[in-house]
């Protein structure tokens, strides 16, 4: 039994006697893990990822240690504003992921399900609900979510308010952009700010917010530059570290350390040689605990993720002089919001820009917005001649991620990418694709 | 015809433009098209709408941004039917003055898009606004006249000749299948309200809480001035957004307050959820935890094949509510109602219930219960003293009618041997059937669901039992009983065979072990093995890879049993763990499952000598008319 699993069992055992103590053990576990990577990193782990790992873990642990300054969010919440009030933003998706890291996801998922929560609900949400209902996560002072992308957000946060008294603020994001829609969101952001000012007794420093947006622009520029260099350069990775990039691109965007991470990655990637590994654009979340994917992507040399749609869900520079309008536009025009054609067009653009060899879309259990569009994405990739693999599974629940199926599909996809390479020696430089090829689709 | 799916759709506006709107109530048997174009793990209703679009020649469809599945449905339909009017209307989730204005603008944009599609002149004709104003006025006047207060759906009073205490239920949750309403109607159940997606009566749902349409707006619409049209649209948008909020809305807090007005007249709530529509399960969970009202959670995928599942659950729920009402009425009242309820029509037309009670004192009376399950059919004969005289078990096989005939003969023969005389069908006063095949037993006088029968049968064997776990061939259920013996709550597994007898059979086959020996073998286990997948197919492949790793059969079998115990425990937890516990059904004979379950429960679960006939005993008790 590995250490994380053993520790997870201890957490669960403690939970039965003293849930709050189990919660402190979770935080202690994160500190311990951060410490171990700080002092004994994997020899192949790039420095930027070591820093990302450290900051990402410590930030969550800090939030759990001090619930008075903790804000629960979802991944799309305007954390830039919350950060100006000194709040530590921890997303519920991230909390579920960590609990899965301790191998207790089956028990928190079952807990939620046994209470009546739908077994078909996204596992991130279900796990989060189970954990909070079990009392192993400290309750924050405040929670902020948006209505965009995922329809579970409003319901999960409302549940937390009704059942656990966690005051939630929901920002409704319209489907399409219009000046009126932007105004609608800006007014809601003003409401949020008023509420935060009242809660914290602190006025929003608009200059600080502007500076955060400027930092965000620089961070995104580094990220894009990094992904361009990844067209040819290797950059050792794990599924977990790629997922951790969301700390820097979303949950802690606008902080100094987030900018520093992408700046480091942008520079460090140049020190790695060119590689002939197959490069993938990953769509949707990475199931970091999946054994076959781990065996191929974690410090492997056959295939790697060179870019992903989550980190690139909004890359337009923000107008820092008008921060609320910029944040409103960022949410409304996110590629995950609006018609799905916005997403397929953006992915097509990114493929032209970053030239991956193929695309993998992971349909995580319960995520209807992702799974529901997979047919359209496949059609778009077919039109572009980009090989695409669709994997079905669960980003959290190990029981719901059949290894045999994933292994066969991934290996067949790799064979397909390699054989396409052999067939077409001259590739269209604008479209990093092989012949018209199609990978196996879900059952 | 323009199809629509959501109550926030501006039906009146489009109708004023000459469109004919039809609510999509799909009746599908498969999702072949939807699974191919979208993904299997998308809300079943959204998939059914896609199938419906393929099957019917709609002019188009107006969808709303109500949930992720419908958003993706829009994207798919838009791509699939470029020549049809496929429109997505963005409905705000926050309701305030600004969002109401936004929504009014969006409705106008929809109207313009429809006008373009129909090659109307471009701008919305003034007549359309006048027509809309008139429609609103007419509906409001009509509402005033009928005095139809509240958004309470008033079911047609149907003269159903039943003497059972009339049960009144409310329906909550996601889109309600027509078959549910039909079953309720069939049993004379009164539906106090139907708060599912488009279940409310439209006119009262929209106008009940609105002030009357201002006179100036009406006149303005005739004059067709820009500002009065805008006022009319804001008024209309406000009425649409002012409906009882569905779960997508930010302000859908305390929807259950709506229930408060019904406290005195409601016996229970049927909470319907749709597979992969997860929004409503939150509200169900909250109401369930509060425990103020009796609830049945019903999850379907809206296919026609669900009807059997719906029927068993709904009928069991009605039985439980009726039983509770009887208890409340007092014992004397109860007995009178019970005897009246027995609508037992024998082929000869005699009313059996009277015969039963006439002969109650007669110790020679014989009744029979038949439990027709997916794997086995069990039958039991009781005498008037509630003693088991005979029983038999046969495999259900491919035809229920054949196995039921066979079990009848075997039980009668067994009774004959025990009583020392020939026993024929005519000697059995009443036969009650239960189980999945209960409606297909030609010789049964009546049928009762297996939920009620297992509850009654369990108490027969052990009156202290309060939580029952029944694991049969294709389903598993947990039932919690009140102290008075009536059913307090029950849950059943869904269509999936995970954790059922079929699952065990598949595992035994893979391990090349006789199903009867699987339990005993697992008791010799020495190594802990986890079977993580509960899907029968995936678990089978997990077992195969464990075999490939040369793991011991005993350890694998124990892993399988632990997996089943985990699933069963979750089911029991959902109804509430109330000691003492009893397990019924064929799987209770498996010592490995029982051991794993005892460990999980931290308590001993009671197993009677004949766990597979408990349901049949319950049915026989029903035949005796004993509550």
């Amino acid at each position: 039994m590995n250490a994380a699993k053993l520790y997870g069992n201890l957490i669960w055992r403690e939970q039965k006697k003293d849930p709050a103590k189990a919660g402190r053990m979770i935080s202690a576990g994160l500190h311990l893990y951060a410490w171990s990577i700080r002092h004994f990193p994997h020899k192949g782990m790039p420095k930027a990822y070591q820093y990302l790992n450290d900051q990402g873990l410590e930030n969550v642990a800090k939030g759990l240690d001090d619930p008075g300054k903790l804000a629960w969010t979802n991944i799309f919440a305007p954390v830039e504003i919350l950060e100006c009030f000194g709040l530590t933003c921890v997303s519920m998706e991230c909390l579920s992921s960590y609990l899965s890291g301790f191998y207790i996801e089956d028990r928190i998922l079952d807990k939620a399900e046994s209470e009546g929560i739908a077994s078909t609900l996204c596992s991130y949400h279900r796990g989060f609900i189970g954990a909070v209902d079990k009392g192993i996560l400290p309750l924050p002072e405040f929670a902020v979510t948006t209505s965009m992308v995922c329809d579970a957000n409003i319901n999960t946060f409302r549940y937390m308010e009704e059942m656990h008294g966690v005051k939630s603020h929901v920002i409704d994001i319209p489907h399409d952009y219009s000046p009126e829609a932007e105004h609608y969101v800006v007014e809601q952001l003003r409401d949020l700010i008023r509420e935060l000012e009242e809660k914290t007794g602190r006025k929003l420093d608009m200059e600080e917010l502007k500076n955060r947006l400027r930092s965000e622009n620089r961070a995104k520029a580094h990220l894009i530059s990094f992904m361009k260099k990844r067209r040819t350069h290797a950059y050792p990775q794990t599924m977990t570290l790629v997922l951790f990039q969301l700390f820097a691109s979303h949950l802690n965007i606008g902080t100094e350390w987030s900018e520093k991470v992408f700046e480091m990655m942008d520079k460090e990637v140049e020190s790695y040689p060119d590689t002939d590994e197959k490069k993938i654009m990953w769509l949707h979340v990475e199931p970091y605990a999946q054994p076959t994917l781990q065996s191929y992507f974690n410090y492997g040399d056959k295939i790697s993720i060179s870019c992903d749609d989550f980190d690139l869900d909004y890359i337009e520079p923000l107008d820092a002089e008008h921060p609320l309008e910029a944040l409103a536009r960022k949410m409304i025009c996110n590629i995950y919001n609006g018609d799905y054609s916005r997403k397929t067009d953006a992915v097509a653009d990114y493929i032209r820009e970053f030239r991956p060899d193929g695309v993998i879309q992971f349909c995580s259990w319960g995520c209807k917005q992702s799974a529901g569009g997979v047919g359209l994405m496949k059609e778009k990739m077919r039109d572009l001649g980009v090989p695409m693999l669709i994997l079905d599974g669960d980003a959290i629940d190990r029981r719901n991620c059949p290894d045999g199926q994933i292994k066969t599909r991934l290996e067949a996809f790799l064979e397909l990418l390699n054989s396409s390479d052999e067939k077409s020696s001259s590739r269209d430089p604008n479209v990093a694709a092989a012949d018209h090829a199609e990978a196996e689709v879900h059952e | 015809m323009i199809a629509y799916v959501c109550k926030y759709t501006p039906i009146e506006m489009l109708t004023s433009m000459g469109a004919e709107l039809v609510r999509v109530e799909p009746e599908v048997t498969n999702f072949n098209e939807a699974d191919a174009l979208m993904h299997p793990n998308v809300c079943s209703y959204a998939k059914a709408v896609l199938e419906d679009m393929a099957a019917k020649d709609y002019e188009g469809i107006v969808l709303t941004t109500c949930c992720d599945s419908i958003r993706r449905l829009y994207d798919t339909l838009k791509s699939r039917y470029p020549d049809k009017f496929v429109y997505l209307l963005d409905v705000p989730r926050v309701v305030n003055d600004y969002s109401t204005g936004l929504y009014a603008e969006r409705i106008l944009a929809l109207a313009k898009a429809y006008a373009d599609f129909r090659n109307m002149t471009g701008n919305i004709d003034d007549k359309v606004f006048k027509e809309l104003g008139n429609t609103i006025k007419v509906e409001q006047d009509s509402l005033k006249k009928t005095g139809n207060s509240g958004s309470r759906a008033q079911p047609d009073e149907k003269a159903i000749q039943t003497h059972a205490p009339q049960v009144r239920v409310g329906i909550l949750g996601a889109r309600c299948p027509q078959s549910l309403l039909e079953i309720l109607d069939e049993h004379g159940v009164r539906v106090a309200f139907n708060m599912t997606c488009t279940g409310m009566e439209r006119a009262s749902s929209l106008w009940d809480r609105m002030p009357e349409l201002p006179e100036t707006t009406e006149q303005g619409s005739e004059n067709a001035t820009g500002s009065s049209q805008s006022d009319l649209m804001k008024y209309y948008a406000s009425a649409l957004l002012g409906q009882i909020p569905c779960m997508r809305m930010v302000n859908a807090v305390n929807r259950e307050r709506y229930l408060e007005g019904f406290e005195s007249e409601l016996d229970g709530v049927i909470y319907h959820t749709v597979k992969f529509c997860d929004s409503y399960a939150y509200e169900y969970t909250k109401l369930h935890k509060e425990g103020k009202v009796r609830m049945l959670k019903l999850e379907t995928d809206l296919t026609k094949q669900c009807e059997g599942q719906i029927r068993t659950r709904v009928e069991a729920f009605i039985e439980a509510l009726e039983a509770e009402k009887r208890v409340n009425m007092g014992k004397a009242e109860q007995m009178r109602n019970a005897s009246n309820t027995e609508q037992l029509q024998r082929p000869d037309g005699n009313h059996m219930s009277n015969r039963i009670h006439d002969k109650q004192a007669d110790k020679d009376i014989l009744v029979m219960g038949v439990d027709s399950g997916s794997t086995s059919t069990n039958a039991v004969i009781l005498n008037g003293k509630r003693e088991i005289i005979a029983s038999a078990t046969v495999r259900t096989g491919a035809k229920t009618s054949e196995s039921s005939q066979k079990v009848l003969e075997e039980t009668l023969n067994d009774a004959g041997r025990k009583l020392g005389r020939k026993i024929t069908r005519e000697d059995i006063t009443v036969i009650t059937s239960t189980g999945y095949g209960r409606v297909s037993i030609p010789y049964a006088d009546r049928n009762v669901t297996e939920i009620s029968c297992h509850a009654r049968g369990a108490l027969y064997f052990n009156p202290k039992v309060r939580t029952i776990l029944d694991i049969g061939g294709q389903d598993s259920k947990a039932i919690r009983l009140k102290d008075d013996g009536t059913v307090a709550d029950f849950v059943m597994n869904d269509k999936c065979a995970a954790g059922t007898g079929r699952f065990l059979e598949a595992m035994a086959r893979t391990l090349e072990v006789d199903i009867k020996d699987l339990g005993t073998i697992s008791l010799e286990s020495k190594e802990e093995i986890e079977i993580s997948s509960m899907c029968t197919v995936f678990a089978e492949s997990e077992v195969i890879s464990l075999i490939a790793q040369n793991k011991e059969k005993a350890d694998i079998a124990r892993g399988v049993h632990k997996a089943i115990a985990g699933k069963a425990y979750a089911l029991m937890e959902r109804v509430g763990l109330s000691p003492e516990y009893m397990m019924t059904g064929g799987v209770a004979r498996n010592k490995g499952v029982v051991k794993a379950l005892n460990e999980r429960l931290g308590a001993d679960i009671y197993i009677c000598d004949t766990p597979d006939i408990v349901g049949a005993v319950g049915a026989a008790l029903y035949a005796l008319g004993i509550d």
Side-chain angles (χ1 to χ4, degrees):
Chain A
M1 193 180 283
N2 68 36
K5 193 170 183 179
L6 201 63
Y7 192 71
N9 283 342
L10 291 176
I11 291 173
W12 200 254
R13 195 178 301 163
E14 191 58 43
Q15 164 275 134
K16 289 174 186 156
K17 290 182 280 176
D18 184 353
K21 191 175 169 195
R24 290 194 293 278
M25 286 173 72
I26 292 169
S27 159
L30 296 179
H31 283 301
L32 190 66
Y33 182 55
W35 180 87
S36 70
I37 300 291
R38 205 176 301 142
H39 296 286
F40 310 103
H42 184 283
K43 62 178 183 209
M45 190 189 282
K47 290 271 184 297
Y49 274 161
Q50 290 178 33
Y51 182 62
L52 167 68
N53 188 77
D54 193 52
Q55 293 295 315
L57 284 165
E58 289 294 358
N59 185 68
V60 175
K62 186 174 103 186
L64 297 178
D65 289 342
D66 187 2
K69 288 189 176 162
L70 169 68
W72 278 343
T73 66
N74 73 325
I75 196 123
F76 301 103
V79 291
E80 298 90 335
I81 293 174
L82 298 169
E83 282 159 358
C84 288
F85 288 93
L87 294 169
T88 306
C89 299
V90 177
S91 83
M92 59 94 210
E93 296 95 338
C94 149
L95 288 167
S96 286
S97 270
Y98 278 138
L99 294 175
S100 173
F102 287 122
Y103 290 79
I104 57 173
E105 82 280 3
D106 51 347
R107 284 156 276 191
I108 53 175
L109 290 166
D110 289 349
K111 165 70 181 163
E113 207 179 314
S114 73
E115 293 177 320
I117 295 295
S119 59
T120 51
L121 176 67
C122 157
S123 308
Y124 285 108
H125 285 261
R126 202 156 30 106
F128 175 61
I129 290 169
V132 176
D133 285 355
K134 271 286 179 193
I136 59 173
L137 290 176
L139 301 180
E141 286 293 307
F142 205 67
V144 179
T145 192
T146 66
S147 66
M148 62 193 278
V149 187
C150 162
D151 58 13
N153 282 321
I154 288 179
N155 285 306
T156 297
F157 280 71
R158 178 167 49 224
Y159 180 88
M160 291 302 155
E161 182 159 336
E162 290 184 336
M163 306 305 287
H164 297 284
V166 178
K167 174 80 180 137
S168 292
H169 193 106
V170 180
I171 302 165
D172 182 27
I173 306 298
H175 189 72
D176 294 310
Y177 179 81
S178 70
E180 293 77 19
E182 182 182 301
H183 179 73
Y184 175 56
V185 177
V186 166
E187 284 308 307
Q188 294 180 72
L189 292 177
R190 288 192 209 285
D191 286 343
L192 170 67
I193 291 166
R194 267 191 292 275
E195 217 172 300
L196 285 166
E197 286 179 339
E198 208 172 289
K199 189 114 199 151
T200 59
R202 184 170 160 173
K203 285 293 278 181
L204 172 70
D205 180 347
M206 202 51 93
E207 270 313 303
E208 184 186 340
L209 182 61
K210 288 177 181 177
N211 282 334
R212 285 184 184 277
L213 264 54
R214 289 183 190 112
S215 167
E216 181 167 346
N217 286 338
R218 291 191 294 271
K220 287 282 175 77
H222 281 304
L223 172 67
I224 290 164
S225 169
F226 164 80
M227 286 182 180
K228 281 182 184 168
K229 290 170 189 168
R230 282 283 283 133
R231 289 171 190 161
T232 52
H233 286 278
Y235 196 71
Q237 64 181 202
T238 66
M239 298 286 283
T240 307
L241 290 166
V242 178
L243 191 63
F244 272 15
Q245 283 175 196
L246 291 177
F247 281 125
S249 67
H250 285 73
L251 298 171
N252 301 105
I253 189 85
T255 60
E256 271 179 38
W257 75 261
S258 128
E259 184 183 340
K260 191 176 164 190
V261 164
F262 289 131
E263 190 182 357
M264 284 172 77
M265 284 166 69
D266 190 17
K267 282 188 188 145
E268 196 177 21
V269 68
E270 292 172 6
S271 67
Y272 286 94
D274 284 359
T275 168
D276 55 4
E277 66 190 1
K278 293 296 161 202
K279 297 196 178 57
I280 294 299
M281 176 166 198
W282 192 275
L283 304 183
H284 206 218
V285 290
E286 291 86 2
Y288 70 91
Q290 212 292 316
T292 290
L293 295 174
Q294 282 183 337
S295 72
Y296 275 92
F297 285 95
N298 291 5
Y299 304 118
D301 56 2
K302 292 189 178 69
I303 188 166
S304 75
I305 298 168
S306 64
C307 53
D308 65 284
D309 65 337
F310 245 132
D311 281 315
L312 300 168
D313 62 356
Y314 187 80
I315 58 167
E316 295 301 313
L318 302 170
D319 177 4
E321 291 311 308
H322 303 94
L324 299 187
E325 289 75 6
L327 288 172
R329 194 182 282 251
K330 176 184 167 188
M331 289 186 276
I332 302 171
C333 298
N334 187 295
I335 65 167
Y336 271 86
N337 195 41
D339 288 1
Y340 201 70
S341 56
R342 188 192 284 179
K343 169 92 173 272
T344 53
D345 288 348
V347 169
D349 287 345
Y350 295 147
I351 286 171
R352 289 187 192 98
E353 185 76 32
F354 304 119
R355 301 182 202 161
D357 298 293
V359 168
I360 296 180
Q361 176 156 353
F362 181 69
C363 296
S364 188
W365 178 257
C367 184
K368 273 75 79 178
Q369 64 82 20
S370 163
V374 79
L376 294 169
M377 186 61 80
K378 187 182 145 212
E379 205 173 295
K380 185 79 176 185
M381 294 303 110
R382 192 188 291 135
D383 291 346
L384 289 176
V386 177
M388 177 176 174
L389 172 70
I390 299 166
L391 293 178
D392 286 338
D394 198 310
I396 297 287
D397 192 353
R398 288 174 177 81
R399 298 169 299 180
N400 197 16
C401 221
D403 193 54
Q405 286 205 333
I406 287 179
K407 191 176 171 69
T408 306
R409 287 166 197 214
L410 183 72
E411 290 178 354
F413 187 59
L414 251 175
E415 285 165 10
L416 183 150
L417 291 178
N418 288 324
S419 67
S420 324
D421 239 13
E422 285 162 19
K423 273 195 260 173
S424 74
S425 50
S426 62
R427 244 198 278 175
D428 176 354
N430 291 319
V431 180
D435 293 336
H436 175 83
E438 189 185 320
E440 184 185 4
V441 186
H442 56 81
E443 291 297 306
Chain B
M1 270 197 307
I2 294 281
Y4 77 96
V5 301
C6 170
K7 69 180 177 187
Y8 293 107
T9 310
I11 299 165
E12 295 75 10
M13 181 76 194
L14 291 165
T15 310
S16 301
M17 296 174 74
E20 189 190 338
L21 270 89
V22 54
R23 188 172 65 194
V24 186
E25 297 283 1
E27 282 196 346
V28 296
T29 51
N30 65 69
F31 297 119
N32 294 343
E33 185 106 353
D35 286 351
L37 292 174
M38 294 172 79
H39 190 281
N41 297 355
V42 170
C43 157
S44 303
Y45 178 72
K47 291 197 293 183
V49 174
L50 194 147
E51 299 290 340
D52 202 52
M53 279 292 284
K56 294 181 184 154
D57 190 25
Y58 295 122
E59 179 189 11
I61 185 166
V62 175
L63 301 164
T64 61
T65 49
C66 56
C67 65
D68 293 345
S69 292
I70 295 290
R71 288 197 298 128
R72 291 293 94 92
L73 172 69
Y74 161 75
D75 294 310
T76 309
L77 291 177
K78 183 92 185 153
S79 156
R80 180 80 168 166
Y81 301 107
D83 298 330
K84 293 199 175 194
F85 184 69
V86 179
Y87 197 91
L88 184 71
L89 177 65
D90 189 13
V91 182
R93 293 171 186 82
V94 170
V95 180
N96 56 32
D97 278 354
Y98 192 82
S99 68
T100 304
L102 261 183
Y103 195 43
E105 288 299 318
R106 288 175 192 164
I107 294 170
L108 272 179
L110 159 67
K112 283 177 182 155
Y114 184 62
D116 286 345
F117 175 76
R118 292 283 299 267
N119 292 322
M120 294 175 180
T121 47
N123 279 334
I124 311 295
D125 198 300
D126 296 339
K127 281 182 197 161
V128 171
F129 293 101
K130 189 181 170 191
E131 185 63 35
L132 177 62
N134 283 341
T135 305
I136 294 173
K137 193 83 181 67
V138 168
E139 288 185 354
Q140 287 184 333
D141 287 347
S142 145
L143 203 61
K144 237 186 290 173
K145 271 182 212 154
T146 57
N148 183 0
S149 89
S151 328
R152 304 176 179 196
Q154 300 294 325
D156 293 336
E157 287 296 337
K158 195 173 176 188
I160 296 170
Q161 294 305 312
T162 171
H163 301 285
Q166 190 179 31
V167 167
R168 285 156 298 189
V169 299
I171 308 175
L172 285 174
R175 197 164 301 273
C176 172
Q178 200 56 34
S179 53
L180 168 61
L181 297 174
E182 285 164 10
I183 293 168
L184 293 174
D185 196 34
E186 197 183 297
H187 287 269
V189 173
R190 175 158 179 176
V191 178
F193 59 81
N194 176 0
M195 248 171 77
T196 57
C197 290
T198 44
M200 299 285 225
E201 205 265 305
R202 176 79 178 177
S204 59
S205 158
L206 275 185
W207 313 119
D208 199 33
R209 278 176 306 280
M210 287 294 286
E212 245 179 81
L213 181 64
E215 206 66 22
T216 49
T217 316
E218 283 176 74
Q219 287 165 1
S221 67
E222 283 168 18
N223 296 334
T225 63
S227 69
S228 61
Q229 284 175 3
S230 156
D231 287 348
L232 174 68
M233 289 308 295
K234 275 197 90 165
Y235 177 87
Y236 181 43
S238 169
L240 285 166
L241 293 177
Q243 297 176 84
I244 291 176
C246 73
M247 292 295 281
R248 74 176 291 282
M249 303 299 270
V250 171
N251 64 343
V253 181
N254 295 330
R255 272 166 35 107
E256 69 274 17
R257 276 192 193 148
Y258 187 75
L259 294 178
E260 287 168 8
F262 288 94
E263 265 168 2
S264 58
E265 49 179 296
L266 207 60
D267 296 311
V269 162
I270 295 180
Y271 208 106
H272 180 253
T273 60
V274 175
K275 194 113 188 149
F276 281 107
C277 163
D278 309 321
S279 304
Y280 284 92
Y282 292 90
E283 187 177 63
Y284 164 78
T285 304
K286 183 169 178 251
L287 292 175
H288 189 251
K289 277 187 179 177
E290 287 171 355
K292 287 183 192 162
V293 62
R294 288 285 297 269
M295 279 201 298
L296 167 70
K297 188 184 180 193
L298 199 60
E299 182 171 286
T300 70
D301 65 4
L302 296 171
T303 56
K304 281 184 183 169
Q305 298 90 311
C306 277
E307 206 181 315
Q309 280 196 320
I310 294 177
R311 184 170 286 279
T312 302
R313 288 160 172 77
V314 172
E315 288 182 350
F317 189 56
I318 297 168
E319 284 164 7
L321 295 180
E322 283 174 354
E324 191 174 66
K325 276 182 102 95
R326 285 198 194 101
V327 168
N328 292 342
M329 282 171 184
K331 190 68 183 171
E333 186 78 2
Q334 169 199 340
M335 290 308 288
R336 190 165 64 243
N337 280 308
S339 66
N340 286 340
T341 313
E342 312 287 348
Q343 293 188 332
L344 310 173
Q345 293 296 323
R346 284 283 296 271
D348 58 7
N350 286 336
H351 209 260
M352 298 312 306
S353 57
N354 293 333
R355 285 172 54 181
I356 268 266
H357 289 287
D358 292 345
K359 290 189 175 184
Q360 199 79 36
D362 184 352
K363 305 300 183 218
D364 291 335
I365 186 175
L366 295 177
V367 295
M368 187 173 184
V370 184
D371 182 0
S372 173
S374 63
T375 309
S376 65
T377 301
N378 307 291
V380 166
I381 292 178
L382 294 186
N383 65 14
K385 291 198 291 186
R386 302 168 80 234
E387 291 164 340
I388 297 174
I389 300 299
S391 68
T393 296
V394 302
R395 277 197 79 80
T396 301
K399 280 201 93 154
T400 305
S401 56
E402 285 172 14
S403 51
S404 62
Q405 191 57 40
K406 195 172 168 201
V407 86
L408 172 70
E409 286 161 13
E410 288 192 13
T411 320
L412 291 174
N413 289 341
D414 189 34
R417 277 194 298 276
K418 303 268 173 63
L419 297 173
R421 61 185 162 99
K422 186 172 171 58
I423 302 293
T424 66
R425 167 68 182 90
E426 287 308 304
D427 295 312
I428 310 294
T429 317
V430 181
I431 298 181
T432 301
S433 61
T434 188
Y436 263 102
R438 66 188 182 280
V439 291
S440 311
I441 312 278
Y443 51 80
D445 300 299
R446 63 178 299 204
N447 70 75
V448 179
T449 65
E450 52 270 40
I451 307 291
S452 303
C453 288
H454 275 276
R456 196 157 301 177
L459 289 176
Y460 173 88
F461 287 99
N462 182 351
K464 289 181 188 163
V465 164
R466 292 295 174 269
T467 311
I468 303 158
L469 172 71
D470 172 60
I471 304 187
Q474 72 173 21
D475 70 21
S476 47
K477 47 186 127 15
I479 307 163
R480 184 165 55 83
L481 302 178
K482 291 183 182 175
D483 287 341
D484 62 19
T486 54
V487 175
D489 199 0
F490 70 91
V491 288
M492 293 174 78
N493 68 322
D494 54 23
K495 277 183 184 172
C496 171
T500 67
R502 284 270 192 277
F503 178 83
L504 270 183
E505 276 177 15
M507 298 306 126
R509 209 171 36 242
T510 312
L511 285 171
E512 294 179 334
V513 169
D514 191 311
I515 180 75
K516 286 183 189 136
D517 302 329
L518 193 66
T520 322
I521 286 174
S522 74
L523 301 178
E524 291 157 19
S525 161
K526 291 189 178 65
E527 189 193 348
E528 286 278 327
I529 286 181
E530 276 181 45
I531 306 289
S532 59
S533 181
M534 272 310 292
C535 165
T536 310
V537 178
F538 292 148
E540 201 166 345
S541 52
E542 253 188 270
V543 168
I544 290 168
S545 50
L546 288 167
I547 293 169
Q549 291 167 36
N550 219 14
K551 296 283 181 189
E552 293 297 327
K553 279 185 184 177
D555 300 329
I556 301 175
R558 175 151 167 72
V560 167
H561 294 148
K562 274 177 67 182
I564 287 194
K567 188 92 178 165
Y569 179 81
L571 209 60
M572 292 170 81
E573 224 183 4
R574 276 175 61 192
V575 290
L577 296 166
S578 174
E580 296 184 9
Y581 310 105
M582 177 173 181
M583 188 172 171
T584 63
V587 176
R589 291 192 185 276
N590 180 313
K591 288 177 184 163
V593 171
V594 174
K595 182 169 182 268
L597 201 59
N598 283 341
E599 286 168 3
R600 191 73 199 249
L601 273 170
D604 279 346
I605 193 158
Y606 169 75
I607 317 279
C608 65
D609 292 339
T610 49
D612 26 23
I613 63 162
V614 175
V617 168
L621 289 168
Y622 266 99
L624 268 180
I626 292 172
D627 280 1

